[in-house]
Amino acid sequence: MQDAQFSPVKPWRDRSNTIGYITGGMEAQVDLLQQVLAQLPADSRAMLHLNAPGGKTVSVECGDLCGTQLSAAGLVERSGSSTWVPSEYAQQWLRTQDSFFLAAKLHANVKFFGELLSAIGEDTKHSDLLKVARSTYGLNWNSPDQVRRRTGWLRGLGLIELWGQRVVRTTAGDTFLEQIAISSPEDATGVTQEEQVGSVGLQFNLGDVAQLEQVDLRKRRALIGYIPRGNTSGNRDSGESSLTPTASIRLLVDMMGDGLAIEAFREKCSVELGISRNSFTTMMHALRHTGLVEQTAFNFFTPTEIGQQIKRPDSNHLLVAHLHSRYLFFGEILNHLDKPATTSNLVAVAKEHYGFPQASNGEIRVRLSFLQDAGLVERVDWQRFRVTPDGKSFAQALELQSPEAESIENPAEEDQQVPVDVQSSIIDDLRTYGRQGTESKAFEAAVGKAFSFLGFHAEHLGGPGRTDVLGTAQLATKDRYRIIVDAKSSGNEIVAESSVKFDALRDHKRKHKADYVVVVGPDFAPRLKNWAVDNEVVLLRIEDLVTILERHSAHPIALTDMRDTFAHVDTFKDELLEQYATLERRTALMNRVISLSFQETTDDDPIAEGYISVENIIYALKKEFTPRPSVEEVDEVLSFLSHPLVAALEVTKSRYKLVDSPRNISLRLLGLGGTIETG
């Protein structure tokens, strides 16, 4: 075998959180990969046919498998718009069949691969490796799925073996481990000794720009608004990257010189940044509110004193301090990044503790970008950010808003909380009784409550010849359907092959005149997953059911829509989560439309009079959502918000205006829901 050290390992933050899974068996990933690569190049829509263990043939769509499972590890790449080909590295592996060669590539591109191998001790189980991933390497995994995927690949490569529940490193695994560079927990979590000590003696000369009283801090503006990024102008090379918010603001103020008529400035922005007329109006609203420019005569604008100062390339700290003085939850972010956090974490903090209900991922990302440009914050990986030593010193030089009374005393508590509409006892019981193996009746009852929460009329039956739970979708006759649910607890957290009797499940299905069959358990033996597909049975892990319950509490899927997913036993969970994601996206769009309308309403623009056009709404949304929202999606949201029952927006000639406070709109929607009897 070749020396694996030739493959440089990417920095931890650039490595993928997930490792791909090829349908056909966890222990057969390497063999299945070879079959996939042998069928490339192929079009995204082509079906790849794989021979899985046990003589079963599996068919997968090329684009779905390559795009979502194999590309992150650098095993495949796109050629043209719709063709997938093996990467150069994968082609070399196909020629050599060198296990170390492939393992080194996976380790170089995927987090916690070689690190997992290193974490294996004398008596190590999958649950132990999950604890290491979470507590030592800061990976936010709620289930052992990603751990099991990695051990599946490592088994196929001959680097580990499973002895019952124990994960054991082989001699080859020991040899491979000696040849690779392992990331330290400090690299992964972003906590180093130097940063813990902090920056000593660093001084920031900010003057009085950020010295505010608490009352002033609470009155700061919520939304920064539209900042152009300048990558659509004909004057810019096609390969040139977009500007950061700092560079964009500095360029705009610099383009204004010592003062410029509005039409001349509009023309400059069109030529230099590719800004359209409608976008220019939106941009000017945002730029005026920064306090960096001001109107000094009719249709004539000039940079303010602070605006002139921030033209200097070395004024990033001054710009951040100035923006902190004008916008909610700006410098305060620095006090919440001692441990790496995501934008979603910061959004929750802003809403709950700083009086910023309009906070969104987009607004927080803009703030983080300014802080990054000033060297006060740095990115740990694609999702998380942390404060730098300079950032800690900078925060001490600012007057920061105090969190509201229920200040965060236990930051970890947010990650542990369950949405308020999900009874925590259901989730607690699922996790507790499902892993005991001696409380089968209690586990059956918990499963029944879970499906009742999903909207089914759930009956806990149990006993000889009967299913554990019978769920009925109480709908019109032609839409009505039934499911039977078998609850399988296990003390070792794996439901054994002998524990699921498919013949008995068929009898129960026939006896109860059910349409679909579900088995719930902590996890399932590998071969059970293939047998379940053959027998049209959905295998549902406890942690996947918990995720479904949590997401259902905020964005419930209709029982009619849920029915289709039960028919696709091999993709049930993925299809269901995709439906939840669609509903969550719709809610996020609605929230952002209200925020944009609120911003326009409070701008005091005598020309716009609080109205915002559909075109401007779509333009703003497409900067924040991937994929970009369609016209139909936006129209759907606008129609809902302008309906008399909601009474949030008023429409005049395809322009919309907010006609009530966001809080009243929220209360009205809650009130409408509260009037429905849930039975």
Side-chain angles (χ1 to χ4, degrees), residues 61 66 82 107 122 141 151 153 188 204 226 256 274 346 357 415 431 509:
E61 188 175 278
C66 292
S82 63
H107 173 61
E122 293 184 1
W141 294 344
T151 58
W153 281 98
F204 295 98
Y226 169 54
M256 194 172 282
L346 295 172
D415 295 331
R431 286 172 166 160
K509 180 181 179 183

Side-chain angles (χ1 to χ4, degrees), residues 242-316:
S242 59
L243 298 168
T244 67
T246 300
S248 180
I249 286 285
R250 183 169 287 133
L251 177 60
L252 287 169
V253 177
D254 190 58
M255 285 164 53
M256 194 172 282
D258 293 326
L260 207 59
I262 193 69
E263 284 301 323
F265 187 49
R266 190 198 315 271
E267 180 62 25
K268 270 195 171 187
C269 290
S270 174
V271 172
E272 295 294 327
L273 297 170
I275 300 176
S276 67
R277 180 171 290 268
N278 283 340
S279 297
F280 176 81
T281 301
T282 305
M283 180 272 292
M284 277 303 295
H285 285 322
L287 187 59
R288 283 168 47 213
H289 287 304
T290 63
L292 300 173
V293 303
E294 61 184 346
Q295 186 170 356
T296 55
F298 180 71
N299 281 342
F300 193 89
F301 287 81
T302 59
T304 60
E305 181 180 351
I306 191 72
Q308 293 287 7
Q309 294 179 48
I310 65 97
K311 290 181 182 180
R312 303 192 313 271
D314 61 350
S315 62
N316 287 354

Side-chain angles (χ1 to χ4, degrees), residues 315-563:
S315 62
N316 287 354
H317 291 148
L318 182 62
L319 176 59
V320 167
H322 174 73
L323 294 176
H324 166 72
S325 72
R326 300 187 71 88
Y327 296 100
L328 281 172
F329 197 58
F330 209 106
E332 290 79 10
I333 289 175
L334 299 171
N335 275 355
H336 295 278
L337 291 179
D338 281 337
K339 293 183 179 179
T342 65
T343 53
S344 298
N345 297 146
L346 295 172
V347 167
V349 172
K351 289 181 176 180
E352 295 174 18
H353 302 283
Y354 288 93
F356 188 4
Q358 306 94 330
S360 66
N361 284 343
E363 281 289 328
I364 298 302
R365 276 195 295 268
V366 171
R367 287 160 168 78
L368 285 168
S369 183
F370 281 113
L371 295 170
Q372 279 183 275
D373 286 343
L376 308 175
V377 162
E378 63 184 355
R379 187 188 289 271
V380 176
D381 52 35
W382 289 112
Q383 293 182 308
R384 298 179 300 156
F385 298 82
R386 63 177 175 182
V387 65
T388 65
D390 286 359
K392 292 180 180 179
S393 297
F394 186 84
Q396 294 174 3
L398 293 176
E399 181 68 29
L400 300 178
Q401 180 182 345
S402 300
E404 293 179 2
E406 66 279 15
S407 59
I408 306 172
E409 296 179 359
N410 182 12
E413 191 172 278
E414 182 183 345
D415 295 331
Q416 299 167 355
Q417 68 181 6
V418 177
V420 293
D421 291 333
V422 179
Q423 293 183 16
S424 60
S425 61
I426 298 177
I427 291 177
D428 290 343
D429 288 351
L430 286 172
R431 286 172 166 160
T432 300
Y433 299 130
R435 293 181 171 90
Q436 288 187 358
T438 57
E439 297 287 348
S440 58
K441 291 298 181 184
F443 184 49
E444 292 169 11
V447 169
K449 292 176 183 177
F451 279 87
S452 177
F453 184 83
L454 294 177
F456 292 93
H457 175 68
E459 302 174 72
H460 177 201
L461 302 178
R466 301 203 300 176
T467 187
D468 294 335
V469 175
L470 174 63
T472 304
Q474 295 179 314
L475 304 169
T477 303
K478 66 182 183 68
D479 298 322
R480 190 176 305 151
Y481 63 97
R482 287 182 167 189
I483 61 173
I484 60 170
V485 187
D486 200 26
K488 294 294 183 185
S489 58
S490 173
N492 61 15
E493 301 189 19
I494 298 289
V495 177
E497 295 171 2
S498 59
S499 297
V500 180
K501 309 293 186 184
F502 291 102
D503 289 342
L505 291 175
R506 279 193 294 272
D507 290 341
H508 292 168
K509 180 181 179 183
R510 184 168 50 252
K511 178 177 181 177
H512 296 291
K513 299 180 180 179
D515 301 276
Y516 307 108
V517 181
V518 180
V519 178
V520 177
D523 204 345
F524 300 91
R527 290 203 295 179
L528 270 180
K529 298 172 184 178
N530 294 328
W531 296 343
V533 173
D534 294 338
N535 287 275
E536 298 182 341
V537 172
V538 173
L539 296 185
L540 186 58
R541 295 168 52 254
I542 289 173
E543 288 304 319
D544 291 332
L545 179 55
V546 167
T547 298
I548 290 168
L549 290 171
E550 290 175 341
R551 296 180 75 169
H552 194 84
S553 69
H555 302 90
I557 294 174
L559 287 172
T560 49
D561 293 332
M562 196 177 291
R563 175 172 192 160

Side-chain angles (χ1 to χ4, degrees), residues 58-301:
V58 177
S59 298
V60 292
E61 188 175 278
C62 176
D64 182 55
L65 176 63
C66 292
T68 63
Q69 302 296 333
L70 302 181
S71 58
L75 296 168
V76 298
E77 54 193 32
R78 196 187 295 272
S79 175
S81 59
S82 63
T83 301
W84 288 94
V85 299
S87 66
E88 183 178 347
Y89 198 106
Q91 293 178 47
Q92 189 171 349
W93 172 69
L94 278 177
R95 293 192 298 269
T96 64
Q97 294 296 299
D98 187 339
S99 296
F100 277 26
F101 191 80
L102 177 57
K105 181 62 174 177
L106 293 173
H107 173 61
N109 286 276
V110 177
K111 294 175 183 174
F112 202 60
F113 191 81
E115 291 78 14
L116 181 150
L117 194 63
S118 177
I120 297 173
E122 293 184 1
D123 186 19
T124 303
K125 299 181 177 64
H126 282 97
S127 57
D128 299 319
L129 294 171
L130 177 61
K131 290 177 183 176
V132 174
R134 286 175 58 87
S135 62
T136 304
Y137 283 90
L139 293 168
N140 189 25
W141 294 344
N142 294 319
S143 76
D145 178 61
Q146 283 296 324
V147 170
R148 292 186 181 281
R149 289 190 184 193
R150 283 159 173 78
T151 58
W153 281 98
L154 289 165
R155 288 164 63 192
L157 292 164
L159 304 182
I160 67 169
E161 295 176 352
L162 286 186
W163 294 1
Q165 297 302 313
R166 291 174 57 201
V167 182
V168 180
R169 196 165 56 234
T170 64
T171 302
D174 291 334
T175 303
F176 176 73
L177 199 55
E178 294 173 356
Q179 299 182 16
I180 59 174
I182 298 295
S183 293
S184 68
E186 290 77 19
D187 292 335
T189 59
V191 179
T192 66
Q193 184 174 1
E194 177 186 353
E195 287 156 358
Q196 289 171 352
V197 172
S199 178
V200 179
L202 185 63
Q203 298 295 323
F204 295 98
N205 184 18
L206 303 178
D208 297 327
V209 71
Q211 301 303 313
L212 301 173
E213 299 292 334
Q214 285 296 313
V215 64
D216 299 316
L217 290 167
R218 288 191 291 270
K219 290 181 179 178
R220 290 173 294 173
R221 292 184 62 83
L223 304 178
I224 294 175
Y226 169 54
I227 299 176
R229 308 301 287 274
N231 57 348
T232 56
S233 168
N235 276 9
R236 294 168 63 83
D237 295 334
S238 58
E240 191 172 355
S241 62
S242 59
L243 298 168
T244 67
T246 300
S248 180
I249 286 285
R250 183 169 287 133
L251 177 60
L252 287 169
V253 177
D254 190 58
M255 285 164 53
M256 194 172 282
D258 293 326
L260 207 59
I262 193 69
E263 284 301 323
F265 187 49
R266 190 198 315 271
E267 180 62 25
K268 270 195 171 187
C269 290
S270 174
V271 172
E272 295 294 327
L273 297 170
I275 300 176
S276 67
R277 180 171 290 268
N278 283 340
S279 297
F280 176 81
T281 301
T282 305
M283 180 272 292
M284 277 303 295
H285 285 322
L287 187 59
R288 283 168 47 213
H289 287 304
T290 63
L292 300 173
V293 303
E294 61 184 346
Q295 186 170 356
T296 55
F298 180 71
N299 281 342
F300 193 89
F301 287 81

